[in-house]
Amino acid sequence: MLVNRALIPVAVVAALFLSGCVESTVPVETPTPAPSYVRVSGLFAVATKIEGDVVIDGRGYVLYRSALDRSSPTRSVCTGSCTDLWLPVPSAPNLRLEGINRELVGTYRRPDGRTQLTLGGWPLYEYAGDRTPGDTGGRGIAGSWWLVRPDGSLDDGH
């Protein structure tokens, strides 16, 4: 019987694993469900080539605001099922800021009792359709959802 000598080490390692003599070094990833309400660690102003200066969270996701919301007094029109697509950015203690005036950052008590971050009095959101940091897929949706500038104003595409 001919045996391929290259397969002998593979067979030995397989036998050791099966016998429990060798510990696996291959990490096993357990999928973690995405939280529906992610805490942010900071707000950061970043310069982009296309959109100009915009605000991102500590994970690198761009933040949005609705042109239909109000800043004085703060009011959000996004309630109920709207928050499945437009995720209110929760308030956070010891929020790190870079390129954003701390005096412009505040909070708003939503009708559901949660506290949402505001910038210049405007409620802040993430777009559930943005899958990776830097995505701007929510920009311009329904003609009212826009990226947020570091002063709280919106980037309405003009």
Side-chain angles (χ1 to χ4, degrees), residues 12-13 31 43 51 84 106 113:
V12 170
V13 170
L43 299 177
E51 290 89 6
D84 293 338

Side-chain angles (χ1 to χ4, degrees), residues 111-148:
D112 63 8
R114 296 186 291 179
T115 306
Q116 182 174 0
L117 276 178
T118 62
L119 185 58
W122 299 97
L124 298 176
Y125 305 87
E126 284 187 5
Y127 175 56
D130 287 347
R131 297 293 179 212
T132 60
D135 284 353
T136 58
R139 185 178 190 221
I141 289 182
S144 63
W145 291 97
W146 301 100
L147 304 179
V148 177

Side-chain angles (χ1 to χ4, degrees), residues 39-118:
R39 294 275 176 211
V40 296
S41 59
L43 299 177
F44 306 91
V46 295
T48 66
K49 290 181 181 179
I50 297 173
E51 290 89 6
D53 292 347
V54 297
V55 178
I56 62 171
D57 69 8
R59 299 174 304 131
Y61 285 86
V62 298
L63 299 183
Y64 298 85
R65 60 165 267 223
S66 172
L68 302 177
D69 285 349
R70 296 288 169 251
S71 66
S72 183
T74 300
R75 183 176 65 88
S76 172
V77 297
C78 184
T79 59
S81 63
C82 175
T83 62
D84 293 338
L85 190 58
W86 297 100
L87 311 171
V89 176
S91 62
N94 304 318
L95 190 66
R96 183 174 163 204
L97 302 176
E98 286 189 23
I100 296 172
N101 182 340
R102 187 165 296 279
E103 292 177 10
L104 294 177
V105 178
T107 60
Y108 163 66
R109 174 78 59 189
R110 297 185 50 78
D112 63 8
R114 296 186 291 179
T115 306
Q116 182 174 0
L117 276 178
T118 62

